[in-house]
């Protein structure tokens, strides 16, 4: 490989590491969202253009603009700014989520490296949240603005969305302007940058947030609520800090609220981790515990990604073995536990990681844990700043608002050089942890008996291993690491869907599949895979079935598994059963199950046609003729005819919707279908707008085949006309779109439609861009048939 090739490869790898693709779950965690944010900050001030002129705008309008983004004219950069703790990240999450869920095919990427950033090829939103990058990295964000301006239009695939404070944004923007050479480039940055200002929450909004945080579990009087909200001064983060760790809220708690979130965070760190600095009359050796605790917190806050497996003492004791005494992290966790014991705590809680029926939990106040990938992060950027404030107060400043704590610590602790020695030791240790896990995997697989005593904690160990694998997915020994991690994981009993969700990416890694025989226990792998096929987790189940043929081709699945697959065809879980029937041909074609064994179970598929779950029912109907053509299902005419008069309107609707295809395949007799036409007529006046709309959509095709009566349809036309003014915009839009043919056939009176034209015109101004776009597409058709006139449109443009 030439030096140029090596350089190009290095650049490609660096660019790949600079961006991280976020799905909806990752997005939620990226912006620190535990529950779906409430509808606050609905009206916002937006500043745009070279002079940043103010415009009041609805939040949904911003989402729509982003989802319909045009590289030739729309903003290259959105800055969502406001004071610390005002709810900027929650707002940005909602805006980005709505854009991702829109009709546009958009992907979201977190920018992890400003220096090596480049635009992906697909339509994208490129995100930076100040809580997800260090202060030094945030300052480098000006490079993104310069790159956005200098790129050619066709290379820019989406807007950059930066969420930060007003002050930090001002620095980023001015640095970028100074870094541009030409006036043309500077003007482009000014005209293609939009600032969204997030103001403080209103009193009503703060009430909503507080109620959500309390969740009905913390007793509090209305008077105290009012005082908390008053002291929080429109900053949601203050409420979050205040509720953290509380079992009850009393009057004296109100006095602890500080209006400055940074100083408030410092107080909370002191309260939770330094235990109000009650260190008087301690031995000198004991007092060093505070230094270790402080250094551990500093390392967690300083490191970009820290995961469960790096701070779980149970796991660390295992992977270090006899060398556990050399670990700074273990020493720091022990210090945290020791201090709690000295305070006569029955069992140390802070710093522990455990399992419940709901999954993994961590007890690190002011930090939250990603439930899928196990990453630990502060609940808000002000936690980092609060720590810095506390650190400077202890080691540098002689004036502080937390005097008692600082005086005690300064007089009793070791000096700042020793602190840096400890924190640097922890930082280096965090870097080496994957190598320690690697050594542990080797020892575990060679000496499984030795680890039997850990059986009751092996499930927690699985979460730890997955977190380390996720964090170090670009580790230089990635493939071998993942193969060995999986080899350990398959030995763990009682793997649930949450664990499977993480394991599935290892399970179906091409390197793993190609080296499957290297696993020490093929039987456990086989058992894990079969369990994934019937997982309640949609992602796990679909990935397992997608990879079924690969495992058959590698001999991992064979005819001995026939009974298991046949049992899935009659699973009580309808989605599992449906997926098994959908994949039957793979199993039959490769001789895993026999056709005759499947046929005797066909009633389990047919019952899915009547499922109360719409997704299951629709998918089953879509698969019906395919299974019949493969001779898996027989004719069963009586059964299909019975569905045409089902008492369940949804079942009846989709039976009639598919009846023409059943007739074409010779599965039902024409005359017998015609005898049941009144069961279709009744659908035209259904109380459900959705059923009624679909029935009217289908009526013309059935009419052409002589399966419905013209006069009966006309008798029910008022039920269609009511759809033209439905409160549901999608129903109303679709009714207007299907209007023309019904008028031509004489079912619907032209003048009656004209009377309702304003209900269509309102769709042209819909806030929903999908509805609005389709309405405009339908406008010319309505003009062509005379429902609307060109003059009327001009007068009301």
């Amino acid at each position: 490989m030439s030096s140029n090739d090596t350089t190009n490869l290095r650049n490609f790898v660096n660019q790949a590491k600079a961006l991280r693709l976020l799905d909806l779950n990752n997005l939620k965690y990226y912006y620190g969202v535990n529950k779906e944010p409430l509808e606050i900050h609905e009206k916002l001030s937006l500043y745009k253009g070279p002079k940043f002129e103010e415009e009041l705008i609805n939040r949904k309008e911003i989402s729509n603009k982003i989802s319909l983004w045009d590289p030739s004219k729309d903003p290259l950069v959105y800055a969502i700014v406001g004071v610390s703790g005002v709810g900027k990240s929650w707002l940005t999450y909602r805006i980005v989520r709505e854009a991702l869920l829109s009709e546009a095919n958009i992907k979201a990427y977190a920018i992890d490296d400003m220096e090596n950033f480049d635009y992906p090829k697909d339509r994208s939103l490129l995100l930076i949240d100040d809580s997800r990058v260090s202060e030094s990295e945030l300052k480098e964000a000006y490079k993104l603005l310069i790159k956005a301006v200098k790129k050619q239009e066709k290379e820019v695939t989406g807007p950059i969305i930066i969420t930060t404070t007003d002050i930090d944004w001002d620095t980023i923007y001015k640095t970028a302007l100074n870094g541009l050479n030409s006036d043309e480039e500077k003007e482009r940055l000014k005209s293609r940058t939009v600032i969204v200002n997030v103001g403080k929450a209103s009193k009503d909004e703060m009430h909503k947030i507080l109620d959500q945080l309390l969740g009905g579990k913390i007793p509090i009087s209305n008077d105290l609520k009012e005082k908390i909200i008053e002291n929080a001064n429109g900053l949601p983060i203050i409420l979050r800090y205040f509720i953290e760790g509380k079992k009850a809220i009393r009057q004296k708690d109100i006095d602890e609220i500080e209006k400055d979130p940074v100083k408030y965070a410092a107080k909370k760190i002191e309260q939770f981790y330094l235990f109000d600095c009650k260190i008087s009359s301690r031995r000198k050796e004991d007092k060093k515990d505070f230094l270790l605790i402080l250094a551990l917190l500093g390392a967690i806050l300083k490191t970009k990604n820290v995961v469960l497996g790096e701070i779980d003492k149970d796991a660390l004791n295992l992977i270090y073995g006899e060398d556990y005494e050399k670990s700074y992290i273990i020493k720091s966790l022990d210090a945290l536990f020791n201090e709690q014991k000295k305070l006569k705590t029955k069992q140390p809680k802070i710093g522990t990681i455990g399992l419940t029926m709901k999954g993994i939990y961590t007890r690190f106040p002011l930090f939250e844990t990603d439930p899928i990938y196990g990453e630990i992060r502060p609940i808000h950027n002000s936690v980092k700043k609060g720590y810095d404030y506390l650190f400077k107060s202890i080691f540098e400043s002689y004036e502080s608002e937390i005097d008692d704590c600082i005086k005690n610590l300064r007089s009793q602790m070791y000096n700042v050089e020793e602190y840096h020695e400890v924190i640097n030791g922890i930082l280096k240790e965090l870097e080496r942890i994957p190598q320690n896990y690697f050594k542990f995997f080797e020892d575990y697989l060679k000496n499984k008996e030795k680890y039997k005593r850990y059986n009751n904690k092996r499930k927690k160990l699985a979460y730890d291993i997955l977190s380390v694998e996720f964090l170090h997915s670009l580790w230089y020994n990635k493939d071998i690491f993942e193969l060995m991690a999986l080899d350990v994981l398959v030995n763990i009993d009682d793997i649930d869907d949450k664990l499977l969700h993480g394991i599935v990416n290892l399970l179906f890694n091409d390197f793993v599949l190609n080296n499957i025989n290297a696993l020490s226990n093929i039987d456990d792998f086989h058992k894990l895979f079969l369990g994934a096929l019937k997982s309640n987790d949609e992602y796990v189940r679909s990935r397992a079935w997608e990879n079924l043929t690969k495992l058959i081709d590698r001999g991992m699945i064979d005819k001995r598994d026939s009974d298991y697959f046949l049992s899935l065809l009659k699973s009580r879980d309808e989605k599992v059963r449906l997926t098994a029937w959908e994949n039957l041909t793979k199993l039959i074609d490769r001789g895993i199950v026999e056709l005759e064994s499947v046929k005797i179970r066909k009633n389990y598929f047919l019952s899915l046609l009547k499922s109360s779950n719409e997704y299951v029912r629709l998918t089953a109907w879509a698969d019906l003729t395919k299974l019949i053509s493969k001779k898996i299902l027989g004719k069963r005419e009586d059964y299909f005819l019975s569905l045409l008069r089902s008492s369940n309107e949804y079942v009846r609707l989709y039976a009639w919707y598919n009846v023409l295809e059943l007739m074409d395949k010779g599965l039902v007799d024409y005359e017998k279908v015609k005898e049941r036409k009144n069961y279709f007529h009744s659908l035209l006046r259904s109380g459900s707008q959705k059923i009624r709309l679909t029935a009217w959509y289908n009526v013309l095709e059935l009419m052409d085949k002589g399966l419905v009566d013209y006069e009966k349809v006309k008798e029910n036309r008022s039920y269609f006309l009511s759809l033209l003014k439905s409160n549901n915009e999608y129903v109303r839009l679709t009714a207007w779109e299907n209007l023309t043919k019904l008028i031509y056939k004489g079912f619907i009176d032209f003048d009656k439609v004209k009377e309702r034209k304003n209900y269509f015109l309102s769709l042209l101004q819909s806030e929903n861009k999908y509805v609005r776009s389709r309405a405009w597409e339908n406008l010319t058709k309505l003009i062509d048939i005379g429902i609307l006139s060109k003059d009327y449109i001009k007068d009301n443009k």
Side-chain angles (χ1 to χ4, degrees):
M1 183 180 284
S2 68
S3 60
N4 283 340
D5 290 337
T6 304
T7 302
N8 289 338
L9 179 60
R10 188 180 298 115
N11 289 339
F12 175 78
V13 171
N14 286 337
Q15 287 170 14
K17 291 166 72 174
L19 292 175
R20 178 158 41 99
L21 183 63
L22 302 175
D23 61 19
L24 288 176
N25 281 328
N26 300 142
L27 184 74
K28 198 172 185 179
Y29 183 66
Y30 182 79
Y31 284 110
V33 176
N34 289 328
K35 299 177 181 178
E36 287 303 323
L38 297 164
E39 294 190 2
I40 64 170
H41 301 311
E42 293 298 291
K43 295 289 184 182
L44 299 155
S45 294
L46 183 144
Y47 301 87
K48 63 180 181 179
K51 295 182 180 179
F52 289 111
E53 295 167 348
E54 184 177 7
E55 173 188 337
L56 290 178
I57 192 169
N58 185 289
R59 175 186 54 77
K60 287 185 178 178
E61 289 181 66
I62 299 176
S63 299
N64 287 339
K65 286 176 184 291
I66 288 174
S67 62
L68 293 168
W69 185 82
D70 183 338
S72 65
K73 61 181 181 181
D74 286 334
L76 298 171
V77 180
Y78 282 88
I80 298 179
V81 304
V83 298
S84 182
V86 79
K88 301 183 298 293
S89 297
W90 284 3
L91 173 67
T92 311
Y93 164 76
R94 293 181 67 203
I95 290 171
V96 174
R97 182 179 183 275
E98 285 169 358
L100 294 180
L101 292 173
S102 72
E103 291 299 307
N105 183 24
I106 307 172
K107 292 182 179 177
Y109 292 91
I111 301 175
D112 287 336
D113 184 342
M114 316 297 169
E115 188 69 40
N116 293 298
F117 161 79
D118 204 352
Y119 286 91
K121 295 189 183 300
D122 42 21
R123 174 78 170 82
S124 54
L125 302 178
L126 303 149
L127 314 173
I128 301 176
D129 188 271
D130 61 5
S131 68
R132 300 297 283 167
V133 293
S134 66
E135 286 187 33
S136 59
E137 286 172 324
L138 185 63
K139 289 176 183 176
E140 298 291 303
Y142 77 90
K143 295 176 181 177
L144 306 176
L145 277 62
I146 292 174
K147 187 165 285 190
V149 169
K150 290 180 175 289
K151 282 280 185 182
Q152 293 184 18
E153 184 181 296
K154 63 181 180 181
E155 296 177 301
V156 179
T157 55
I160 296 168
I161 303 175
I162 301 177
T163 310
T164 188
T165 63
D166 317 60
I167 296 170
D168 287 337
W169 165 250
D170 193 52
T171 302
I172 292 166
Y173 181 71
K174 287 179 179 176
T175 307
L177 275 178
N178 293 332
L180 293 169
N181 299 320
S182 70
D183 290 340
E184 183 183 349
E185 287 177 341
K186 291 180 180 182
E187 192 62 27
R188 190 175 184 220
L189 177 60
K190 290 177 182 178
S191 62
R192 300 286 296 275
T193 296
V194 163
I195 300 171
V196 180
N197 185 60
V198 186
K200 291 183 177 181
S202 70
K203 191 172 182 180
D204 286 343
E205 289 173 337
M206 292 292 278
H207 269 288
K208 288 181 183 178
I209 296 165
L210 182 57
D211 286 341
Q212 186 188 59
L213 291 172
L214 292 169
K217 296 178 181 177
I218 301 177
I220 180 171
S221 71
N222 288 331
D223 288 343
L224 286 181
K225 270 189 185 181
E226 291 297 328
K227 289 181 180 179
I228 292 171
I229 288 167
E230 183 181 343
N231 281 276
N233 197 22
L235 300 177
I237 191 61
I238 295 293
L239 299 181
R240 197 168 174 186
Y241 278 139
F242 187 68
I243 300 302
E244 182 84 35
K246 299 287 185 188
K247 292 181 180 177
I249 296 173
R250 295 156 296 181
Q251 178 61 51
K252 69 176 186 177
D253 294 316
I254 301 298
D255 299 330
E256 295 178 6
I257 299 178
E258 294 283 348
K259 290 185 178 181
D260 184 333
V262 172
K263 292 178 182 178
Y264 193 77
K267 272 188 168 290
K268 285 291 185 179
I269 293 169
E270 175 229 331
Q271 174 190 333
F272 288 124
Y273 294 99
L274 302 179
F275 311 102
D276 298 314
C277 301
K278 296 172 184 175
I279 62 175
S280 57
S281 72
R282 299 280 179 85
R283 293 179 304 165
K284 184 177 179 180
E285 304 83 59
D286 294 340
K287 290 162 188 172
K288 189 173 181 179
D289 282 352
F290 286 93
L291 181 145
L292 289 166
I293 295 167
L294 203 63
L296 177 63
L297 290 174
I300 293 173
L301 289 165
K302 193 171 184 178
T303 306
K304 195 165 190 177
N305 304 93
V306 174
V307 292
L308 290 172
E310 295 179 310
I311 55 172
D312 182 356
K313 189 187 171 188
D314 289 327
L316 293 175
N317 280 336
L318 267 182
I319 69 164
Y320 279 105
E322 295 177 357
D323 294 330
Y324 74 92
E325 291 183 352
K326 297 177 183 178
S327 167
Y328 274 114
I329 299 175
I330 292 177
K331 288 177 183 176
S332 300
L333 288 169
D334 279 338
L336 193 55
F337 300 150
N338 289 340
E339 290 306 315
Q340 291 173 79
K341 288 176 182 175
K342 289 167 187 172
L343 294 170
K344 297 182 180 179
T345 303
K346 290 181 181 178
Q347 186 67 34
K349 291 182 178 180
I350 294 175
T352 59
I353 296 171
L355 274 175
T356 66
M357 294 294 289
K358 294 181 179 179
I360 198 82
Y361 71 84
T362 57
R363 286 200 174 112
F364 281 82
L366 308 182
F367 292 82
E368 57 193 356
T369 308
D370 176 75
I372 298 174
Y373 300 111
E375 186 183 357
I376 309 290
R377 59 171 283 185
I379 62 173
H380 188 259
N381 197 40
S382 53
V383 175
K384 291 181 183 178
K385 293 180 179 179
Y387 177 85
D388 291 340
Y389 172 80
L390 182 63
F391 171 79
K392 288 176 183 177
S393 298
I394 292 170
F395 288 113
E396 298 172 14
S397 173
Y398 289 89
E399 294 181 5
S400 169
E401 291 190 19
I402 39 181
D403 290 328
D404 291 339
C405 170
I406 304 310
K407 286 176 183 175
N408 282 331
L409 281 173
R410 191 184 297 114
S411 62
Q412 303 292 348
M413 284 186 63
Y414 292 75
N415 58 34
V416 70
E417 287 77 15
E418 185 163 0
Y419 166 84
H420 283 300
E421 179 187 329
V422 175
I423 197 171
N424 288 332
I426 294 174
L427 291 171
K428 288 177 183 177
E429 189 178 338
L430 288 170
E431 290 178 6
R432 293 195 304 268
I433 277 183
Q435 294 168 315
N436 290 321
Y437 268 88
F438 196 87
K439 292 175 184 175
F440 164 70
F441 294 160
E442 289 179 319
D443 190 55
Y444 184 98
L445 295 170
K446 287 177 185 175
N447 306 290
K448 290 181 186 177
E449 292 297 316
K450 169 180 158 185
Y451 293 97
K452 276 193 173 179
R453 60 185 172 82
Y454 197 77
N455 276 355
N456 62 328
K457 295 180 181 176
R458 287 203 301 178
K459 190 172 177 181
K460 184 156 73 89
L461 176 62
Y463 280 99
D464 291 328
I465 292 171
L466 283 172
S467 72
V468 174
E469 184 278 323
F470 160 70
L471 176 60
H472 297 279
S473 58
L474 293 174
W475 197 45
Y476 72 95
N477 248 341
K478 173 179 179 288
D479 290 331
I480 299 297
F481 186 91
E482 289 183 345
L483 182 66
M484 295 186 73
L486 180 64
D487 207 354
V488 173
L489 288 168
V490 296
N491 283 279
I492 293 172
D493 300 325
D494 192 27
I495 288 179
D496 57 22
D497 278 338
K498 285 186 179 177
L499 271 175
L500 264 177
H501 193 103
I503 292 172
V504 74
N505 291 320
L506 294 176
L507 205 61
F508 304 122
N509 175 304
D510 284 338
F511 180 84
V512 169
L513 290 175
N514 291 332
N515 293 275
I516 207 77
N517 292 323
L519 294 176
S520 63
N521 195 331
I522 299 293
D523 288 341
D524 282 337
F525 176 90
H526 178 260
K527 180 181 176 183
L528 191 66
F529 173 73
L530 293 181
L533 291 170
K534 61 177 182 178
S535 169
N536 290 321
D537 186 305
E538 194 79 38
Y539 174 73
V540 171
R541 190 171 68 251
S542 62
R543 287 295 309 276
W545 284 99
E546 282 170 16
N547 286 274
L548 176 62
T549 52
K550 290 182 182 178
L551 292 176
I552 293 173
D553 294 343
R554 287 167 175 78
M556 287 292 296
I557 301 294
D558 55 33
K559 201 165 184 177
R560 287 172 293 182
D561 299 305
S562 175
D563 288 344
Y564 180 80
F565 284 103
L566 291 173
S567 71
L568 296 182
L569 296 177
K570 55 180 185 175
S571 170
R572 290 184 178 182
D573 185 320
E574 286 187 333
K575 288 186 178 179
V576 172
R577 191 191 331 160
L578 176 67
T579 310
W581 281 95
E582 283 186 300
N583 288 275
L584 255 181
T585 51
K586 296 178 185 177
L587 298 166
I588 294 171
D589 292 346
R590 285 169 171 74
I592 305 299
V593 297
E594 293 179 356
L595 181 59
E596 293 306 314
S597 299
V598 172
K599 282 183 176 181
I600 61 175
R601 292 166 172 81
K602 60 190 174 187
N603 285 341
Y604 290 101
F605 173 80
L606 294 173
S607 66
L608 296 175
L609 301 173
K610 300 190 291 184
S611 172
S612 59
N613 183 299
E614 185 173 11
Y615 167 78
V616 171
R617 185 173 65 250
L618 289 176
T619 309
W621 275 102
D623 291 337
L624 177 63
T625 53
K626 180 179 74 174
L627 293 174
I628 290 171
S629 64
K630 292 281 185 181
K631 298 184 178 178
I632 294 171
L633 298 176
K635 191 173 178 182
R636 296 302 301 271
E637 182 181 44
D638 290 344
Y639 181 78
F640 297 136
L641 289 172
S642 71
L643 297 181
L644 294 174
R645 53 189 180 85
S646 171
S647 58
N648 184 315
E649 283 191 330
Y650 278 104
V651 173
R652 191 188 339 151
L653 175 70
Y654 285 99
W656 281 97
Y657 190 83
N658 290 277
V659 74
L660 295 181
E661 189 173 4
L662 295 176
M663 286 166 51
D664 289 343
K665 299 281 186 184
L667 301 174
V668 291
D669 180 73
Y670 172 82
E671 292 299 331
K672 291 180 180 178
V673 172
K674 194 173 179 181
E675 290 170 5
R676 292 160 173 78
K677 60 189 175 185
N678 284 336
Y679 290 101
F680 175 79
H681 294 151
S682 66
L683 294 173
L684 298 173
R685 54 181 183 271
S686 170
S688 163
Q689 290 188 355
K690 187 175 180 181
I691 289 174
R692 196 189 329 155
L693 182 68
T694 308
W696 279 97
Y697 177 82
N698 205 34
V699 73
L700 294 175
E701 202 170 7
L702 294 175
M703 172 70 72
D704 290 341
K705 297 292 183 180
L707 293 174
V708 294
D709 290 339
Y710 180 84
E711 291 302 325
K712 286 284 187 184
V713 175
K714 282 193 72 173
E715 286 175 14
N716 289 298
R717 59 188 169 189
S718 64
Y719 292 97
F720 177 81
L721 288 169
S722 68
L723 297 174
L724 296 177
K725 55 180 186 176
S726 169
N727 290 329
N728 184 314
E729 285 190 333
Y730 285 99
V731 171
R732 192 188 337 156
L733 173 68
T734 309
W736 281 96
E737 286 178 331
N738 291 294
L739 181 66
T740 311
K741 291 180 181 178
L742 293 172
I743 291 175
Y744 286 152
K745 287 288 185 180
F747 289 132
I748 305 298
D749 184 85
F750 183 84
D751 292 332
K752 293 286 187 185
V753 173
K754 286 192 75 172
E755 291 172 6
R756 293 163 171 78
K757 63 185 177 185
N758 285 338
Y759 290 100
F760 172 78
L761 292 171
S762 67
L763 296 173
L764 300 174
Q765 302 173 54
S766 170
E767 288 189 3
N768 185 304
K769 64 99 182 173
Y770 176 67
V771 170
R772 190 170 64 246
S773 174
R774 275 177 50 184
W776 279 97
E777 287 173 10
N778 201 47
L779 179 64
T780 53
K781 294 179 185 177
L782 296 178
I783 292 173
D784 290 343
I785 65 173
I787 298 294
L788 300 172
S789 68
K790 291 181 181 178
D791 290 339
Y792 183 89
I793 298 299
K794 285 179 183 177
D795 293 341
N796 293 276
K797 63 183 180 180

